[in-house]
Amino acid sequence: MTSKKYLSERETTELLDILQQRFEKNSKRHPKIDWSKIEDKLKANPQRIWSLNEMEISGGEPDVVDYDKKSDEYIFFDCSAESPKGRRSLCYDREALDSRKENKPQNSVMDVAIEMGIEILDENQYRFLQTLGEFDLKTSSWIRTPKEIRALGGALFCDRRYDTVFVYHNSANSYYAARAFRGVLRV
């Protein structure tokens, strides 16, 4: 990932165009939400634009999925059909990465999410995403794992098979070419 945490004016314009087109194409994900208000918020938060760009370039196809009236924030999720290609083959967290003696992945889900300025979806958020379409029909996505499970060496992931969302467990230091993670960003 790059150390630059902002986009140029041209890059910002290009990303906003991509996001607006995706927003308009997928209006069922965010009924009654006005793009111009989102755009104003994004322009006032260049670091959030940078994070959305990181989501975009890693294959996440971020889109608005909700609005939190209490905090006055728009919520973006990765909405790519399959788990983002640019974030696959990662173990769960730094502890898991450090525990591997050989065949280590390049990084961990939690470290990459922090670098990108986003969080990974939890189980409830993942299930909500699945109400907006059909995601991870061929891949799977790590989700935020409760501390009690992580303390025992495990981590959770989800996918959609047989028209059902499944939650599974794996050792946190495992990694697979068909598993990445989906992010959430509040703006």
Side-chain angles (χ1 to χ4, degrees), residues 120-183:
I120 71 170
L121 297 183
D122 63 22
E123 181 180 348
N124 290 333
Q125 291 167 324
Y126 188 88
R127 288 184 182 281
F128 173 70
L129 173 67
Q130 292 287 357
T131 68
L132 303 175
E134 294 184 349
F135 302 93
D136 288 333
L137 298 177
K138 298 175 186 171
T139 58
S140 61
S141 295
W142 289 109
I143 59 169
R144 198 170 333 131
T145 298
K147 291 176 185 172
E148 301 81 20
I149 294 172
R150 185 60 197 99
L152 296 171
L156 301 178
F157 66 96
C158 295
D159 63 24
R160 183 183 191 116
R161 304 290 191 273
Y162 310 107
D163 202 27
T164 303
V165 175
F166 290 95
V167 177
Y168 309 92
H169 60 89
N170 227 161
S171 62
N173 67 1
S174 63
Y175 63 97
Y176 300 92
R179 183 177 309 149
F181 72 94
R182 292 178 181 276

Side-chain angles (χ1 to χ4, degrees), residues 61-78:
E61 299 178 20
D63 195 10
V64 176
V65 298
D66 206 0
Y67 173 70
D68 184 337
K69 290 179 186 176
K70 211 178 239 188
S71 64
D72 186 32
E73 293 175 311
Y74 294 96
I75 301 167
F76 286 82
F77 282 2
D78 286 309

Side-chain angles (χ1 to χ4, degrees), residues 36-80:
S36 64
K37 292 179 181 177
I38 298 166
E39 187 172 16
D40 290 344
K41 279 215 170 231
L42 287 171
K43 287 180 178 177
N45 290 285
Q47 286 185 312
R48 297 290 194 221
I49 291 175
W50 180 86
S51 292
L52 283 168
N53 191 61
E54 292 295 296
M55 292 169 80
E56 182 68 26
I57 62 176
S58 60
E61 299 178 20
D63 195 10
V64 176
V65 298
D66 206 0
Y67 173 70
D68 184 337
K69 290 179 186 176
K70 211 178 239 188
S71 64
D72 186 32
E73 293 175 311
Y74 294 96
I75 301 167
F76 286 82
F77 282 2
D78 286 309
C79 292
S80 55

